[in-house]
Structure formats: structure tokens, C-alpha cells
Amino acid sequence: LAGKRLWEIGAGSGMVAIWCAKRGAKVTASDISGAAIEAIGANAERNGVALQVIHADLFEGMPAMTFDYIVINPPYYPGEPKTEAENAFYCGAEYQYFHRLFDGLAAVCHADTTVRMVLSEDCNLKRIQQIAAQSAWQMQEVDRMRKLGEWNFIYACTLPGS
């Protein structure tokens, strides 16, 4: 990770972003939640790392740049968020978050970008994979872990030929 540009989308507390920054990555952490943005900044300071923290709704509010690594912990339950906190869980009744994500993701990637996304067995994995495929993205499971009785999966997201 040393010297690589990494973007954590939906950074929440910033735990992953901070871990990566401690290993030398040049990290950008974004979240739609103002409370999360404050937490990321405070946690980065407590851990003695410098991060670029951006209050953004996916690509809206992000400066134009590309990244070597992109890590995503998306909201994946269908439904409309009614509060700021619910943005962490609900992706829109028609999975709008994923349509926006996969439609815009290529613009922040270069030929060697690595994209990883964590999803739970509780979400509609097939639906999310279908949305990815509509924008030419492929999702391949690369790891899984059972924690507190729930399976969590890490997917590599790639464009054909990349």
C-alpha cells in the first residue's frame, strides 16, 4: 500500500482508511454522513495519520482523480433512507446506489486499479451482480468470513480486460 492512492467509499468510522494510511497509502475517505465525516477525522487524529476526508454522496462532491485501490462498504438493503444514519443501510428501493456506483466507477479507475467491495449474505447478491453487469462490471468473490452467525463476502469488481 505504501505510496498508493486509496479511496474508501462509505468510510463510516474510518477504520479501514486508517489501517491503510498506517501502511503508507495516500488515503481519501468519503461518506455521505456528516457524523461519519467528523468521526473519521477524529479517529485519524487519534491514530496519528493524515487522510483526505470528503463529505460526498458517492461521486458527487469528489474531486476528479483516479485511485490505485478502491474499497467499498455499501448500503445494500432495498429501501429509502429516512434519516442520515439510514444511508449506511438502505441503497434505494430500486438499488439506486448500485446503479450510480457501477455507472460512475470506471471514471475513478485506471488500468491497474483494484476494487474490493464487502457484502453480506443478508443482501440480494444476485441483484447487485446484475446491476454491475449492466455497466460491464464483473464481481468475483475473493474471500468470505462468518462473523456473529452471518456470512460476509469480499468481491473483486473488474471491467473485462482490466
Side-chain angles (χ1 to χ4, degrees), residues 88-156:
F89 303 101
Y90 297 106
C91 62
E94 300 299 322
Y95 293 80
Q96 294 93 322
Y97 176 94
F98 290 99
H99 287 281
R100 291 174 46 226
L101 173 68
F102 290 113
D103 285 348
L105 196 54
V108 294
C109 295
H110 54 68
D112 296 320
T113 299
T114 298
V115 179
R116 296 291 185 265
M117 179 167 41
V118 62
L119 294 170
S120 162
E121 69 178 333
D122 290 341
C123 68
N124 188 336
L125 296 168
K126 290 199 183 307
R127 178 74 176 118
I128 294 167
Q129 290 172 325
Q130 290 169 341
I131 294 167
Q134 290 170 357
S135 295
W137 285 90
Q138 298 171 345
M139 293 175 56
Q140 176 72 39
E141 181 185 328
V142 294
D143 201 4
R144 64 173 54 200
M145 174 188 267
R146 190 169 181 88
K147 188 152 181 131
L148 301 174
E150 172 187 16
W151 280 104
N152 290 277
F153 308 97
I154 297 178
Y155 285 90

Side-chain angles (χ1 to χ4, degrees), residues 6 19 29 46 49 57 65 67 69 88 114 120 124 132 151 154 157:
L6 180 136
W19 187 90
R46 274 191 215 81
V49 296
D57 181 0
M65 62 177 90
F67 297 90
Y69 294 94
T114 298
S120 162
N124 188 336
W151 280 104
I154 297 178
C157 302

Side-chain angles (χ1 to χ4, degrees), residues 1-8 17-29 50-53 65-70:
L1 289 175
K4 302 293 184 176
R5 294 183 55 80
L6 180 136
W7 179 18
E8 183 181 8
I18 291 165
W19 187 90
C20 294
K22 283 185 171 188
R23 281 143 187 85
K26 299 173 187 171
V27 176
T28 299
L51 306 174
Q52 179 179 26
V53 181
M65 62 177 90
T66 60
F67 297 90
D68 301 303
Y69 294 94
I70 299 172

